[in-house]
Amino acid sequence: MNKIRFILVTILVVAFAGLVIRHNQTKSRILIIHSYNIDFPWVPQVNGGIQQYLANNPSDVVIRYQYMDLKNHPNCDFYRSAANDARLLIQDWQPQVIIIIDDLGQSLVGVNYLHFKPGTDTTGLYDKFAAIDAKPGGCANDPSKNNKDYFGLGNISLPYTPKIIFGGVNGDVDQYGYYQADNVTGIFEHKNPDAIRQTITDIYRASSVKPTSIQILSDKSGTANSEKDFFENKLTAVNLDVPLTWKPVEYAGTYDEWKQFIKDANQNGSMLLIANYTQIKENATDATSMSTSKLISQTEQTTQYPVLGAATNFITDGGMLTLAVPGYEQGQVTIQMALEVLKGTPVSNIKPVEAKQFVVGMNKSLVIKRGLALPLVYEAFSRESNNLVEK
Amino acid sequence: MKSSAQLNTIPVRQSDTRTFLGWTLALIVPLLVYFLFHQSNPTAAERSTGIFIGVVSLAVCIWVFDLTPAFVPALLIIIVTILFDVVPKDVALSGFTSDAFFICLAIFIFAAQVASSGLIYRVALLLMRWLPESNLSQSLIVFASGTILTTIIPSPLGRSALLNPLVFDLIDNTPKTKVKKIETTPLIISGLQGTTLLSTIFLTGNPLNLVMLGFFTTQTQYRFQWLNWLQATLIVGVILVAGYLAILLWQARKSNLQPMGKAQIDELLKKLGPVKNSEWGALVGMTVFGVGILTQSYHHIEPVWLAFGIALVLYLYGALTTRDLRSNVDWPTLLFVAAIVSWGPIMSALKLNTLIGKQVTALKLDMLMHNNFLLGIGFLALIIILIRFVFPGGPTFIILMSALIPLANSTGISPWVLGFIALTISEGFILPYQHGAFSLVVEELKTRGLEDTYNMSDILISNALLLALRVVAIYVTILYWKAIAIL
């Protein structure tokens, strides 16, 4: 190769490499970490909200998704491995903003990137986070796993401070230390207690077989843990306009336990309210949870009184009526906040917000089968939001 | 470069009966599979799945009986899925736009440059000159050269073709005595294991590593790129190298092979002449690539595009020619990789993973793996070792992967771990027909009239020991995988 060609090509290559590196370094990167996998309908809903917002507000950002798949594998070893994968990605890719959806992702990944306000006492904080993970992971009683080192929790030093936007959080974010940090904001997924109260009242009035109480039945998942305060205290504090009393919340781990609680509810004259049910095992030794459609359709068939759901997927799983917080809004709000942050708005100026929307889902044939004369608005709203099953 | 598209086997001379049997089965089995599937799944929606399974069974027949080059049935599957509208065209051809395809193409171009430059040969000679003159050190250099080639040439056969000249130069230049025959076994073991032993340790050591990545989701693919892959495989690699060293010590003691003298090495170096521009190009390219991978968090360029960029820059400098591309790039393997990588998306589109997942659950394989992982791994290893006496490594691995991915999904065990275990064991071999690199060496020794210079039983014993060591290494590494949270 002659010298002139060598020099010219070298200039071209160096200039090109420089431009590419500069382009990549200045590009804004947003990492979206889902606690669950794409097979859980809530997740595509959140992604749909994100994509819709981006389509309406074109932005020069690169987005990468990470699915931790924690709902399908509720065990500590898997939690630890999935958290490690997410952290490796953050370390390699160094996103400026990390959107974390749902509770487990906050306590397994988000807590490691907190930028604490001056004077914050972090003693014992990470062990507290580990305890949050250990419970749904089934290793709360194993000291070798129920600790921060096992889950790889602790402040991670990075050459930059990523901003964290949370979404899909059912409880309070105080348990994750978020109020003590200045780089976190987001949107809660709190259920609307008044909407649930009104629907229970409507069901009671529409029902010819009147229940005497309400039994909340739940699995023992991380989400159930986050919503413990809501269901055990906040919701039950709401006065109903009909003569129904709240029974203490029951938590099942296996299908047998679940069936026993249904039997008890039938005997006690209780109607059921079900929000968290994806982590029930058919047999105690099973590696994975049982089919949710089998669980809910069997529940619907064996309960004497109407069952109200408070979950996105309740109708497609075979339930009769549900009130759910839509993932769509969570996606829209979190990406909007992320873009605000990238524009330079300090995170402290963006306050965490509550979910404003809720959707109704209904299976019309099951409503007819139970002989319920529900207000027509339920069917109309379900149809409008594409959550009506007619057969 | 020799093609590794035969999935690391080179075609054996087919007997007429075998060929007849192969084609007969290739005719009957797909039809049988299709009709049996159709009978148990009569809905129109399942027709596409039946066609796909049918054509996969056809491909398996062709692979097992070595009826055509390996890429042919792989492409046939793609064509059939398009012609019968089994899945949309973009899904069927997704392998051709995958990262795995571009990594493979980039590395092949890169490897073409390294191969044609002769850099590795020169480095090996320089090392021999520098290290003490001994049978042991020269065997080690052969192994080390093979290992370096493993990091940049994703084809065991291609590496073998590049390394064999060095091995035979060493044999040819050894001082001969009339009294005693020379004993070349340590050199042959070093050459053979140098090109094959660590092929799953480096991401680019084997096209099937890239095929395996292609089966995974995007996030798992990203998780196991170059350095992260190496971090996960390191302990297996160290154990295998330790095993090789033990075998080498045993063999070197028995061997009377005289090392090549410094004067002879100088003569060979003289023949090579001064360092050529192409060698500098290879060296600079390898260095830039290595530095690029290490500094990824700074420049944010993914290794696949970095490798591709470097490969193209080599052309800008004229370090590579069109002729190099024609003769040194393993096009059949590239086509094979692209076609097989499409399997994952096709299977997802057909929801075949769910179907296989149900079978895995019905057979209680997920329970076995979940409740007794160590026993499950042993069972998997045993099955693969037995199958490998009949089936070539590539098809064995690909078919297994189709079942292992749903198994990983239902048990929560890392799909990479299961894939790596299957691949590492299926890449092991004992007999020449089980691995192309081995049969290539045996053929070449025969051609050169060196059949009496080595002890075949010792080579077979060392192969068997290293195959067993692969299983041991995996068991030992399970602890390491747990420690670094892969498991």
Side-chain angles (χ1 to χ4, degrees), chain A residues 1 67 73 80 85 288, chain B residues 219 223 316-317 409-410 482:
Chain A
M1 193 197 314
Y67 302 97
H73 306 291
R80 173 178 175 255
D85 285 358
T288 50
Chain B
Q219 70 184 47
R223 166 71 179 81
L316 295 182
Y317 280 108
N409 289 341
S410 64
K482 281 188 188 291

Side-chain angles (χ1 to χ4, degrees), chain A residues 14-234:
Chain A
V14 170
F16 183 72
L19 284 171
V20 170
I21 290 171
R22 193 180 150 70
H23 170 76
N24 277 287
Q25 279 180 331
T26 53
K27 218 161 38 179
S28 297
R29 295 177 296 279
I30 300 175
L31 173 63
I32 296 158
I33 298 179
H34 280 283
S35 301
Y36 309 138
N37 206 353
I38 198 85
D39 62 350
F40 187 52
W42 160 263
V43 174
Q45 271 188 23
V46 174
N47 288 352
I50 290 171
Q51 281 144 19
Q52 181 69 44
Y53 188 86
L54 287 173
N56 295 334
N57 302 273
S59 311
D60 188 21
V61 291
V62 185
I63 292 188
R64 191 181 277 275
Y65 295 87
Q66 178 82 4
Y67 302 97
M68 295 179 76
D69 198 13
L70 305 173
K71 200 175 270 294
N72 287 326
H73 306 291
N75 72 73
C76 287
D77 289 344
F78 190 88
Y79 284 8
R80 173 178 175 255
S81 175
N84 184 58
D85 285 358
R87 287 194 289 265
L88 271 177
L89 175 60
I90 294 169
Q91 195 179 307
D92 280 354
W93 201 53
Q94 303 199 344
Q96 287 93 338
V97 180
I98 306 170
I99 295 175
I100 305 175
I101 305 293
D102 292 310
D103 282 275
L104 276 170
Q106 319 295 337
S107 53
L108 281 165
V109 181
V111 295
N112 273 15
Y113 302 94
L114 297 179
H115 185 262
F116 289 107
K117 292 171 186 165
T120 304
D121 180 14
T122 56
T123 319
L125 207 55
Y126 291 102
D127 276 317
K128 204 180 93 186
F129 300 147
I132 297 172
D133 303 323
K135 202 171 175 190
C139 61
N141 299 324
D142 182 351
S144 68
K145 292 183 176 177
N146 188 352
N147 63 70
K148 64 181 169 67
D149 296 327
Y150 173 77
F151 285 108
L153 300 178
N155 192 30
I156 291 176
S157 168
L158 284 175
Y160 73 112
T161 307
K163 307 293 184 286
I164 298 166
I165 315 282
F166 66 82
V169 170
N170 298 101
D172 196 356
V173 290
D174 190 32
Q175 58 181 328
Y176 311 126
Y178 282 4
Y179 293 136
Q180 291 157 280
D182 56 15
N183 63 332
V184 189
T185 188
I187 176 171
F188 291 97
E189 190 207 337
H190 293 158
K191 292 180 171 66
N192 189 323
D194 289 328
I196 293 177
R197 178 181 59 83
Q198 285 166 18
T199 309
I200 289 171
T201 305
D202 286 339
I203 291 175
Y204 181 85
R205 286 177 180 152
S207 178
S208 54
V209 190
K210 304 285 185 197
T212 55
S213 56
I214 307 166
Q215 173 69 66
I216 300 168
L217 185 52
S218 172
D219 61 13
K220 294 176 178 173
S221 61
T223 313
N225 196 34
S226 304
E227 291 189 323
K228 204 175 160 77
D229 183 47
F230 175 79
F231 283 114
E232 289 186 2
N233 304 315
K234 287 183 183 155

Side-chain angles (χ1 to χ4, degrees), chain A residues 50 99 101 165-167 187 330-338:
Chain A
I50 290 171
I99 295 175
I101 305 293
I165 315 282
F166 66 82
I187 176 171
Q330 302 279 316
Q332 277 201 325
V333 173
T334 50
I335 194 71
Q336 186 186 1
M337 286 176 168

Side-chain angles (χ1 to χ4, degrees), chain B residues 141-164:
Chain B
I141 288 166
V142 167
F143 181 81
S145 304
T147 303
I148 294 168
L149 288 172
T150 307
T151 62
I152 44 174
I153 298 178
S155 152
L157 285 177
R159 292 195 290 271
S160 194
L162 277 176
L163 197 64
N164 285 351

